[in-house]
Amino acid sequence: MSKNFDVVVIGGGPGGYIAAIRAAQLGMSVACIDDWKGADGGPALGGTCTNIGCIPSKALLQSSEYFEHANRHFAEHGIVLEKSASIDVAKMIGRKSKVVKQNNDGIAFLFKKNKVSFFHGRGAFAGKADGGYEVRVGDEVLTGRHVIVATGSTARALPGAPFDEEKILSNDGALSIGAVPKRLGVIGAGVIGLEMGSVWRRLGAEVTLLEALPEFLAAADQQIAKEAIKAFTKQGLKIELGVRIDGVKTDKKGVAVSYTDARGEQQTLACDRLIVSIGRLPNTAGLNGEAVGLQLDERGFVAVDDACRTNLPNVWAVGDVVRGPMLAHKAEEEGVAVAERIAGQHGHVDFNTIPWVIYTSPEIAWVGQTEQQLKSAGRAYKAGTFPFAANGRARALGDTTGLVKFLADAATDEILGVHMIGPMVSELIAEAVVAMAFRASSEDIARICHAHPSLSEATKEAALAVDKRTLNL
Ligand code: FAD
Ligand code: NAI
């Protein structure tokens, strides 16, 4: 006997679970299918983000940052440790797992509260049905008038070097290393490489990142990227750009990565463990999209239009399994917009105001266009920057690295992009997102009262700098 729902969501990550909750809020009957298994084999809602992504990585970043503060920065404040702090890795990993579990349980609670029916297992299209689609999960068949595919992504392996999660680690293994490795190699100096590399460097590993591109953080504003590579190198991360990986070999002792460096010379990196963080691939295997004729694009993502419609009527797809940035908040926005469209409302995602954050120290955050993008588009712009070194709160914190940068239209002063590197910019960026969503000018921000002393004053000062009238520099 098939169970009928207005909406069947396949995938319980941030795209899927948020879509399910929003659809239920709008009065629809909703099922969500997710196959993630927790340590006890039971459901663990939240997908990559909650289980092996955003949440556990931020837990380890926090623990390792406290550790680094204790050993490197407490003394500046006159706090004396009789011995240097040591790290109990098992306890740190245990705490991370507790944080993950709290989030898993939180989503299960939200499903109950919103009356979303949850099915644990792999969802696969079984065929078209009267007024909808059949989706099989275990022995059950669910019929959805609408189906939302939110199956997410998984780590891409290097050809010839599959993940064993012992020596060659994806993000999964990188978040569960049992003891600090002496030498840690990282292939790909992108978001995961920098966040995970920072965690294990702070705890004492010698970390080397090998990056294929000649530019560091090519997607970021290059003024910010230059500050970032300076700061990371000073902390002890070794970053080699423009390399070509030729092979990876493992033996009892560890891992040997042979590569060609930017000068064309053959090199070998010997390490105890290797994180491979070279991007992610969409999850479509096992979905049996062929049964209904679901189209993929040339890169294997589910093909969708701007409104997340697939080629099939009433089948939608959101999050990492479709084009666009692989970010939890992008997946959530798409999930909400799709649920609202199904309900006949005007769901909307503004791709121009999706913020990016890299949770290293200093943190990096941006929204909108970079200077290099504006230049290549031939757009006339004005720029204003303000360094945290001139911000009173940053001095009091003892964390003055970095700057805030505004880019505004030369004629209208509309904010086109805001780029930040420094303390807590993961939080400061929200003001810039709001400003851009309301199509504010840099003068709007410059005229708004910001609390003193606060890091947010650097945002105001950078906006003032667009008009060359900073007050504290
Ligand atoms: P997912 O979270 O991948 O969820 C998909 C779910 O569907 C999974 O549970 C999967 O098992 C399940 N599934 C797949 N196929 C089926 C099927 N056929 N049947 C049933 N279930 C299925 N983003 C940020 O915005 N901020 C961050 O700080 C951040 N940190 C990250 C750190 C790491 C280490 C990683 C790897 C990613 C990070 N991300 C971050 C990215 C973020 O995790 C993803 O963008 C987000 O999880 C995508 O959400 P999603 O719902 O599309 O997919
Ligand atoms: P990424 O795209 O951020 O970085 C991958 C890096 O690997 C790139 O710099 C790329 O040039 C490099 N690379 C690719 N192939 C290579 C090769 N063969 N040899 C050497 N270098 C190579 O991808 P990453 O770090 O794997 O993360 C995946 C996604 O997860 C991110 O794009 C992001 O969307 C999401 N994420 C978001 C976070 C956040 O928001 N704070 C944190 C972590 C992940």
Side-chain angles (χ1 to χ4, degrees), residues 256-274:
V257 181
S258 41
Y259 65 98
T260 307
D261 70 15
R263 294 181 308 268
E265 286 168 20
Q266 300 288 306
Q267 305 285 354
T268 304
L269 172 71
C271 50
D272 306 305
R273 308 228 193 197
L274 179 72

Side-chain angles (χ1 to χ4, degrees), residues 10-16 33-36 46-49 52-54 57-58 121-124 150-153 171 175 192 195 280 283 285-287 318-321 326-329 331 359:
I10 310 177
I33 307 170
D34 187 77
D35 64 355
W36 205 286
T48 303
C49 166
I52 51 167
C54 323
S57 59
K58 267 77 257 180
R122 182 144 276 248
T151 47
S153 65
N171 54 297
L175 288 158
I192 295 180
E195 290 188 356
R280 299 178 62 79
N283 277 335
L287 190 59
V318 301
D320 280 12
V321 78
M326 287 184 165
L327 295 173
H329 42 283
Y359 294 81

